[in-house]
Amino acid sequence: MRAAVCRRYGGPDVVMVERDYPSPDLGDGHVRVRVHAAAVNFPDVLIVADKYQMHASVPFVPGSEFAGVVTEVAAGVSAPAAGTRVSGTCFVGAFGEELVVPAGALTAVPDAIDDQHAAAFGVAHRTAYHVLRSVAKVQPGEHVIVLGAGGGVGLAGVQLAAVLGATVTAVASSDEKLTVAASFGATNTVNHRSGPLRQSLRDALPGGGDVVIDPVGGDLSEPALRTLRWGGRFVTVGYASGEIPRIPLNLILLKGVHVLGFHFIDFATHAPDELARNEREVLELLASQRIGPYIGASFPFEEVVSALHYVAEGQAIGKVVLDFGHLNDS
Ligand SMILES: NC(=O)c1ccc[n+]([C@@H]2O[C@H](COP(=O)([O-])OP(=O)(O)OC[C@H]3O[C@@H](n4cnc5c(N)ncnc54)[C@H](OP(=O)(O)O)[C@@H]3O)[C@@H](O)[C@H]2O)c1
């Protein structure tokens, strides 16, 4: 099969497109998926550089979010059947034409959703929905501040908070990102490069925010937390800035805020019923096209190195996708 292969660690340029990479064996309980689209995420860049928290042994095919069609199922697997359009996530493997994954790890793609949007929906919308619904427990009419609002999780957070009836203040580093966030439901937008974030947020929300969703960390977290009203909720989701902030505890005491965290694997382990309910709800929203990812850039499969550079250099707005569609015709 054709695949983007990493045979030594390094920057995006070490990834090479190969024509005859072996297709993975079909193990018990697994299905084979022909990949039609894959999302490109910052962790893919880190895994190729061997700088991620988990290690992939070379050679390997990077890529962790995909959509495609089931082409083969192992004996005894009843669903999904061959021919079903599916999406899913994995640690590595999605930047190849074929992928073998556990049958139970796949989601059927609603008819109305194309392959690129199905691949891009994977983690970001689910993360944002669990955070808003189960951790922050956002209520209609509340004011939600979303940091990193031009990123995958942030933009999904903007869209979903608005769908849940909240008023959303989007924070990002460029007006271009904020224009997209506004089109996804943000009523206030704050460019954190235009002035001190604390003052800008106070101007936007004189009465304070109810919730902060923070997938960025670094210098943005504390000023955002300071703009919460008494009793507000701050949810730490990730550290895209590369810096884990340290918040003085007296600030929590004085402001009476709740600091909460979300980690997908732990949430799935400790709250399986809520996970299942949220999964149902968010898939209904997707199927009815009330929500969906923003694809800021799409690259043909052969341009995987350019796509990785694009993500590594922080140019992405929303999600970046590799398109395999044309390969299926050849
Ligand atoms: N807890 C969980 O279970 C979970 C689940 C999914 C993702 N995450 C984490 O959440 C974070 C965000 O994920 P994502 O998919 O939204 O990422 P993303 O699409 O790359 O967006 C990250 C945003 O962070 C901001 N940022 C600030 N400094 C940055 C830097 N040095 N490099 C890259 N971005 C930087 C950027 O916004 P501005 O430039 O506008 O500030 C960017 O839009 C990641 O750390 C990810 O690992 C956690």
Side-chain angles (χ1 to χ4, degrees), residues 30-294:
H30 284 60
V31 303
R32 188 180 306 282
V33 175
R34 184 165 184 92
V35 175
H36 289 179
V40 185
N41 296 298
F42 196 70
D44 301 324
V45 176
L46 296 178
I47 292 166
V48 166
D50 201 22
K51 290 181 178 165
Y52 192 62
Q53 54 202 290
M54 291 190 295
H55 168 81
S57 299
V58 288
F60 67 94
V61 175
S64 55
E65 283 187 303
F66 60 89
V69 65
V70 175
T71 54
E72 189 183 0
V73 302
V77 170
S78 54
T84 309
R85 292 180 66 225
V86 291
S87 63
T89 59
C90 48
F91 173 44
V92 291
F95 297 168
E97 279 184 291
E98 292 191 341
L99 178 69
V100 166
V101 279
L106 294 167
T107 303
V109 175
D111 289 342
I113 308 302
D114 67 31
D115 292 322
Q116 292 200 24
H117 285 81
F121 184 77
V123 176
H125 269 81
R126 288 177 167 94
T127 297
Y129 197 67
H130 296 314
V131 165
L132 292 162
R133 181 84 161 91
S134 291
V135 184
K137 300 186 195 305
V138 167
Q139 300 301 312
E142 288 194 312
H143 294 294
V144 176
I145 298 165
V146 180
L147 307 183
V153 172
L155 203 45
V158 168
Q159 188 180 51
L160 288 164
V163 164
L164 291 171
T167 302
V168 183
T169 299
V171 178
S173 61
S174 77
D175 292 346
E176 195 187 355
K177 289 182 179 181
L178 291 169
T179 301
V180 176
S183 77
F184 264 49
T187 41
N188 299 314
T189 57
V190 171
N191 184 331
H192 64 78
R193 295 217 170 122
S194 300
L197 179 60
R198 189 174 168 194
Q199 189 56 50
S200 303
L201 285 174
R202 278 195 175 159
D203 293 344
L205 294 171
D210 296 291
V211 171
V212 171
I213 305 299
D214 180 9
V216 181
D219 294 341
L220 302 185
S221 304
E222 187 176 326
L225 187 147
R226 282 179 183 274
T227 57
L228 284 171
R229 64 163 177 76
W230 191 89
R233 291 96 77 201
F234 180 100
V235 189
T236 178
V237 183
Y239 311 102
S241 65
E243 199 187 316
I244 300 173
R246 294 172 184 272
I247 305 290
L249 269 186
N250 66 323
L251 190 58
I252 312 303
L253 178 150
L254 291 169
K255 293 202 63 78
V257 296
H258 304 267
V259 177
L260 304 157
F262 174 81
H263 189 232
F264 213 127
I265 295 168
D266 292 319
F267 182 73
T269 306
H270 295 292
D273 294 343
E274 279 197 61
L275 181 99
R277 178 203 62 190
N278 294 354
E279 177 75 8
R280 271 194 312 276
E281 291 178 355
V282 80
L283 286 175
E284 276 168 23
L285 288 168
L286 176 72
S288 63
Q289 294 181 282
R290 287 186 70 200
I291 63 165
Y294 178 83

